[in-house]
Amino acid sequence: MLAGRSACILGINQDMVWVLTGTVFPWYIRNMASLQPYTSGGKRYYRIVESYRDENKQPRIRVLRHLGTADNLVRMLAEGPGKALYAEAREFGAVAALLEIAEAIDLVGTIDRHVEKRDQGATVGQYMLLATINRTVAPTSKRRLASWYSGTILTRLVPFKRGSLRSQRFWDHMRYLGAENLLAIEKELTTSIVEKYNLNLGALFYDATNFDTFLSSENPSRLAKRGHAKSKRTDLRIIGLALMVSSDFHVPLFSRVYEGNKADSVSFSEVLDDLVTRYQIFRQRCRKITLVFDKGNNSEDNIKELDGSPYYFIGSLVPTQHKDLLSIQLEKFRYLPGSRFKGVRVYRTEKEVFGKKRTIVVTRSQTLLRGQVRGIRQHLRKKIAALQLLQKKLARSYQPGWSGKPYTQDGLEKATGQIVSGQYVNEFLWVKVSKRGGRLLLKFGIDAASYRNLKRRVLGKRILFTDNAEFTNEEIVLGYRGQYHVEQAFKDMKDPYFIGFSPNYHWTDQMIRVHGFYCVMALTLSCLLHRKVDHLGIDLSKTAILRELQGIKEIDNYYPPQSTDPLAGGRPRSENTMTKMNPVQEKLFKGLGLGKFLKNR
């Protein structure tokens, strides 16, 4: 333990040596290297020994190194280890913090309980743990996973045999996880998370999104379809992901990968039964749970099914489908009190929606109004520029030397219709195609009165509805605002440097589902880590936490073997240490209990 390490000897007696900062190392400590005094030829010497038990379970000692007299020992310590041959740095902080949470929810054990695999080599759970942590700190393909793994402390905490991390071996273990396994695993993990972390379950937030893939058209995948891509990449096949998260640091409590061409309302109807099943897990902790979702999930069948479920709900309606509510004069709205609702006015009423009378709250927010106006102006500039370009092309088509096809009135009207189309803008941006003197003319402009009417009647408004008439206006507005939790979860998953759901390097539906599973688990671990750090009183974002933790590294310094004979050779001596931590890193290290993962603890 002392070989090759600078230290300060505070005292030596017949039984023990006090070193470093007064730490006592009795020679008989088991299972570790110890400094032992002994006498030979009437002189006192010291040596490093290690205790063990022989085949008859009798205690024995093996000598690791002779150190000589006390004077020689003092001289060795004073000289220090000498110049290092080289050093190896390994990722410690972020990996250790995520591993600690994975152990707390028993990620590996839960997965292994739901798969049938011989007790041979690394388990399926260990492979999934590796993929989950990798997705959180350094998303990479399976071919590059072994290289990343070798630079982390996982090499000693979750050891894999040489060759076990080849991409093919990883894919072989992914094949143990089918759709039913994944559903059962997620349910058990959700139960563990709810019990372990006592999450706030009063409001849960559901939504769906999609992710681009780069699968070719010939690939037989049923999940990857062409549809309404959120990224606007209409040339790519997409897969859908539904999530339900908590209001408490948007921890995922339900997920489902589905076909990319399905509408949100269709995918919502397909998971409602599973959401009700999840309620049975939550009801032990919270009796009244409100499910919050946006208008894209609305359908009469979905709302009727929710009426028969144990959930309350808060949703929103498409404003243009309820013109009577939009026509309500602003003078009838009242401002909500409190700084959280600055600039928000509401009008409360009741209306029959989806077969039942519902509580309706129409809101008008100055913040939303400003955002919509800013977006409209951006779109308007683009559309006017496109119309001006078309107008110039039309004028050039009548000049000598024009080599293109002549414009027709039907073709021109179709082209202008595509340009003007879009939410809100088509209500006040007018276009007129006429013919005069044998030539087509294109005129366009803005109807100022229509724009003022749109701004007064529609913009800045949301129509919220709920089945719980006991909710106050403030509770309804705050509940629906919480939808940002699930939106933030999707934003995290689309970050290429953090989780990075896309690009998806898998090409079969079964593999895609497993990919979705460990991406959701990566989000889960990072959210629970964020929650834990926040409870320590450290105010950092999720990415800032990971950045600080990734700055904490484990260092192995390697020195030449100690020998007076330069030709004797031998293995280099190593010394383990940590990088210097700043005050935030020290607080994270101590608060998260990362000391238990140190190499020489």
Side-chain angles (χ1 to χ4, degrees):
M1 181 173 180
L2 295 174
R5 182 184 296 271
S6 297
C8 177
I9 294 184
L10 303 180
I12 301 176
N13 60 31
Q14 298 296 316
D15 299 317
M16 60 191 72
V17 177
W18 296 17
V19 297
L20 301 176
T21 57
T23 305
V24 179
F25 293 92
W27 71 267
Y28 50 79
I29 292 179
R30 297 180 178 179
N31 300 323
M32 66 178 292
S34 305
L35 189 66
Q36 179 194 46
Y38 69 99
T39 302
S40 177
K43 293 185 178 181
R44 194 70 163 174
Y45 298 96
Y46 294 88
R47 61 189 177 189
I48 297 177
V49 299
E50 183 179 61
S51 62
Y52 71 99
R53 289 186 180 273
D54 62 17
E55 57 186 12
N56 296 320
K57 305 299 182 182
Q58 296 301 312
R60 295 286 184 267
I61 291 174
R62 66 168 62 92
V63 177
L64 300 180
R65 185 172 178 195
H66 289 280
L67 301 176
T69 65
D71 290 339
N72 187 56
L73 179 57
V74 170
R75 185 172 60 254
M76 291 172 59
L77 292 172
E79 289 175 353
K83 184 178 180 181
L85 294 172
Y86 58 92
E88 288 182 345
R90 292 184 176 86
E91 295 288 341
F92 181 94
V95 171
L98 294 167
L99 182 60
E100 195 278 331
I101 294 175
E103 290 177 348
I105 64 175
D106 193 21
L107 176 62
V108 172
T110 301
I111 294 172
D112 290 339
R113 281 193 293 273
H114 289 274
V115 296
E116 296 181 2
K117 179 184 181 290
R118 289 186 302 170
D119 186 13
Q120 182 180 12
T123 69
V124 177
Q126 288 174 322
Y127 276 97
M128 292 302 103
L129 171 68
L130 210 60
T132 297
I133 295 178
N134 170 259
R135 280 282 143 185
T136 312
V137 299
T140 187
S141 67
K142 301 302 173 289
R143 288 188 175 90
R144 297 180 180 177
L145 197 64
S147 176
W148 166 81
Y149 167 81
S150 65
T152 73
I153 60 170
L154 293 173
T155 52
R156 59 180 174 80
L157 299 177
V158 190
F160 282 79
K161 292 182 179 179
R162 184 182 297 273
S164 296
L165 288 180
R166 294 195 305 269
S167 54
Q168 185 59 55
R169 296 292 296 138
F170 212 102
W171 296 329
D172 290 342
H173 283 77
M174 289 175 68
R175 291 190 178 96
Y176 284 98
L177 296 169
E180 292 184 4
N181 302 78
L182 292 172
L183 181 61
I185 291 167
E186 187 180 81
K187 286 173 63 177
E188 187 173 335
L189 286 172
T190 299
T191 302
S192 177
I193 291 168
V194 169
E195 292 177 353
K196 176 74 177 178
Y197 292 93
N198 193 28
L199 298 179
N200 181 1
L201 302 173
L204 302 178
F205 304 91
Y206 173 90
D207 205 355
T209 191
N210 52 56
F211 297 88
D212 297 337
T213 73
F214 295 91
L215 298 180
S216 67
S217 300
E218 291 76 21
N219 185 281
S221 170
R222 295 184 178 181
L223 289 175
K225 302 285 187 180
R226 284 186 173 81
H228 183 66
K230 308 286 186 179
S231 65
K232 311 300 182 184
R233 288 292 302 271
T234 56
D235 58 316
L236 298 178
R237 296 171 70 181
I238 56 177
I239 54 178
L241 177 69
L243 272 185
M244 181 173 68
V245 305
S246 69
S247 60
D248 202 353
F249 294 86
H250 56 270
V251 179
L253 299 174
F254 172 84
S255 69
R256 176 68 58 84
V257 175
Y258 64 91
E259 295 87 340
N261 62 346
K262 282 187 178 177
D264 288 351
S265 60
V266 176
S267 63
F268 188 39
S269 68
E270 292 178 350
V271 303
L272 274 172
D273 287 342
D274 291 324
L275 294 181
V276 172
T277 302
R278 291 293 161 96
Y279 181 88
Q280 305 309 317
I281 298 173
F282 308 143
R283 66 193 294 267
Q284 304 300 323
R285 298 278 174 176
C286 185
R287 289 289 181 177
K288 293 183 178 181
I289 303 175
T290 302
L291 187 62
V292 183
F293 52 91
D294 70 11
K295 54 184 174 291
N297 299 291
N298 290 350
S299 76
E300 190 162 349
D301 290 340
N302 289 349
I303 303 303
K304 284 183 179 179
E305 192 165 348
L306 274 173
D307 284 333
S309 78
Y311 289 104
Y312 292 110
F313 67 82
I314 297 174
S316 66
L317 302 171
V318 179
T320 54
Q321 295 177 356
H322 299 273
K323 294 183 178 180
D324 56 325
L325 297 175
L326 292 178
S327 298
I328 298 171
Q329 298 296 315
L330 286 177
E331 289 75 15
K332 296 183 178 181
F333 286 62
R334 70 175 185 85
Y335 282 100
L336 289 179
S339 58
R340 290 183 298 179
F341 303 105
K342 185 177 180 180
V344 177
R345 290 190 280 183
V346 298
Y347 177 83
R348 188 182 182 116
T349 185
E350 289 184 340
K351 182 180 178 180
E352 185 170 315
V353 178
F354 298 116
K356 279 189 177 182
K357 185 170 286 189
R358 316 282 182 182
T359 297
I360 305 290
V361 173
V362 185
T363 71
R364 192 172 196 266
S365 163
Q366 288 296 324
T367 302
L368 177 61
L369 174 63
R370 286 193 296 269
Q372 288 178 329
V373 168
R374 186 166 56 250
I376 287 173
R377 287 175 177 172
Q378 291 173 350
H379 284 93
L380 185 61
R381 283 195 294 269
K382 294 179 181 179
K383 292 179 182 297
I384 289 177
L387 289 171
Q388 288 173 338
L389 180 61
L390 182 59
Q391 197 176 49
K392 291 178 181 178
K393 287 183 178 181
L394 178 62
R396 286 202 305 269
S397 70
Y398 292 106
Q399 295 176 359
W402 173 259
S403 58
K405 291 183 179 180
Y407 285 96
T408 66
Q409 186 162 351
D410 289 342
L412 201 57
E413 288 176 348
K414 184 178 180 181
T416 56
Q418 290 175 343
I419 294 174
V420 174
S421 65
Q423 191 179 33
Y424 303 137
V425 175
N426 61 354
E427 296 189 28
F428 61 86
L429 177 60
W430 59 266
V431 178
K432 183 178 180 181
V433 178
S434 60
K435 198 169 186 178
R436 188 172 63 188
R439 290 191 174 191
L440 292 172
L441 298 176
L442 173 62
K443 293 183 179 181
F444 58 88
I446 295 173
D447 187 334
S450 296
Y451 176 71
R452 287 194 298 269
N453 184 52
L454 174 71
K455 193 174 179 180
R456 184 181 65 255
R457 293 183 63 254
V458 180
L459 298 184
K461 289 184 179 179
R462 282 197 179 101
I463 302 176
L464 310 181
F465 75 117
T466 179
D467 61 340
N468 189 347
E470 295 181 1
F471 281 152
T472 64
N473 294 338
E474 290 81 358
E475 288 173 331
I476 294 171
V477 173
L478 279 179
Y480 191 78
R481 278 185 178 182
Q483 194 71 5
Y484 81 89
H485 287 291
V486 68
E487 292 169 357
Q488 181 61 46
F490 288 139
K491 183 179 179 181
D492 288 341
M493 297 187 78
K494 293 187 178 186
D495 186 336
Y497 304 105
F498 171 58
I499 300 180
F501 193 104
S502 294
N504 168 32
Y505 293 102
H506 304 288
W507 54 89
T508 67
D509 289 347
Q510 190 266 339
M511 295 289 193
I512 290 172
R513 288 192 177 93
V514 178
H515 176 77
F517 168 75
Y518 58 66
C519 284
V520 172
M521 287 313 306
L523 177 65
T524 302
L525 295 189
S526 62
C527 291
L528 291 174
L529 174 61
H530 190 190
R531 183 180 187 274
K532 191 172 182 179
V533 169
D534 184 79
H535 287 187
L536 293 174
I538 304 174
D539 185 18
L540 291 174
S541 67
K542 194 185 297 93
T543 53
I545 292 169
L546 290 172
R547 185 169 57 250
E548 292 289 350
L549 288 172
Q550 285 178 309
I552 304 175
K553 298 185 185 297
E554 178 183 272
I555 308 293
D556 278 327
N557 293 314
Y558 290 88
Y559 300 92
Q562 282 188 344
S563 174
T564 57
D565 182 1
L567 301 178
R571 296 178 62 184
R573 297 175 292 111
S574 66
E575 182 184 61
N576 182 262
T577 187
M578 302 294 295
T579 52
K580 184 178 180 180
M581 301 181 213
N582 61 38
V584 174
Q585 290 171 336
E586 288 180 348
K587 196 170 182 180
L588 289 171
F589 185 90
K590 183 178 179 180
L592 296 174
L594 302 186
K596 72 177 186 178
F597 295 106
L598 290 173
K599 190 173 185 179
N600 294 323
R601 61 189 179 94

